[in-house]
Amino acid sequence: MSQARKIIIWAGLALAVTIPIVLAGFSPQLAWRDPVYIGAGFAGIVAMALLLLQPLLAGGLLPGIPALRGRRIHRYVGIGLIAAVVLHVVGLWITSAPDVIDALTFTSPTPFSDWGVVAMWALFAAGLLALLRRRLSLRPQVWRLAHTGLAAVVVVGSVVHAWLIQGTMEKISKAVLCALVLLVTLKVLADLRVWVINKRRRA
């Protein structure tokens, strides 16, 4: 890969991640929000940005990062993603606990809440599966299929959740970020083909 192409890829990624966060900072809706609520909202935006990095790292699509190192960074980004989601939920709980309870019990009148909660539990399950990988003694292909399946639920749930919210995120940058997360995830799923079972031939 040429140096110019590497620069373009990294520059494009930096813009895709930072522009939605920066534009959200200029949202007029922030004028009447308290600091905890604002922090919770930005934690959610950061989580979406980190969600774009995960398939890129897992699929080895970032130039200059070897596959093994990319998978290690993937784990740390996953921890950061979980932390961002926890901060998002805790912040919302502090500002309005009844709304969070309604969301967690799937009784909220807002459809985006259900998608967010499904994505959250799938993320926690994927993280727990990664943490207990050695103890579970699962075959590598079974583990990858389970982990990737949960990751797909996280992506779909998070994208729909973010798209349905009429919040601080600017519409065009949010649409671009959501589309990139979906497209990159689909590409990595197609490349890795984790659903294909490798059958050993009997001698």
Side-chain angles (χ1 to χ4, degrees):
M1 184 181 295
S2 66
Q3 189 66 24
R5 187 176 179 183
K6 291 180 181 179
I7 294 174
I8 292 174
I9 292 175
W10 279 106
L13 177 60
L15 290 175
V17 168
T18 58
I19 287 178
I21 299 174
V22 172
L23 292 182
F26 291 96
S27 173
Q29 296 190 29
L30 298 179
W32 58 83
R33 299 294 189 182
D34 62 80
V36 175
Y37 187 91
I38 293 174
F42 274 88
I45 301 173
V46 169
M48 281 298 299
L50 293 177
L51 197 58
L52 176 60
L53 292 175
Q54 286 298 72
L56 291 171
L57 291 166
L61 299 178
L62 292 177
I65 300 180
L68 181 58
R69 185 181 179 188
R71 286 193 291 270
R72 290 176 180 173
I73 299 175
H74 176 83
R75 297 189 191 104
Y76 291 115
V77 174
I79 294 172
L81 178 57
I82 292 174
V85 170
V86 170
L87 289 175
H88 180 63
V89 175
V90 170
L92 295 177
W93 177 278
I94 293 174
T95 55
S96 181
D99 287 340
V100 176
I101 293 175
D102 287 345
L104 293 175
T105 56
F106 295 99
T107 56
S108 175
T110 53
F112 63 79
S113 298
D114 294 343
W115 289 97
V117 170
V118 169
M120 179 190 71
W121 288 122
L123 175 64
F124 292 165
L128 185 62
L129 191 62
L131 182 64
L132 301 178
R133 181 175 183 176
R134 294 182 179 179
R135 295 184 180 182
L136 293 174
S137 299
L138 296 175
R139 285 172 23 188
Q141 190 167 15
V142 173
W143 184 89
R144 284 196 299 269
L145 183 61
H147 186 73
T148 306
L150 288 169
V153 174
V154 174
V155 167
V156 173
S158 299
V159 167
V160 177
H161 174 70
W163 182 250
L164 292 178
I165 295 177
Q166 301 300 319
T168 58
M169 290 190 76
E170 189 272 332
K171 290 184 178 180
I172 295 177
S173 61
K174 178 172 69 172
V176 171
L177 179 59
C178 289
L180 286 174
V181 170
L182 283 175
L183 290 175
V184 172
T185 301
L186 287 174
K187 173 176 173 48
V188 172
L189 288 176
D191 290 346
L192 296 180
R193 296 173 61 85
V194 295
W195 60 86
V196 177
I197 299 175
N198 295 322
K199 296 181 179 180
R200 295 182 178 179
R201 295 181 178 178
R202 296 180 180 179

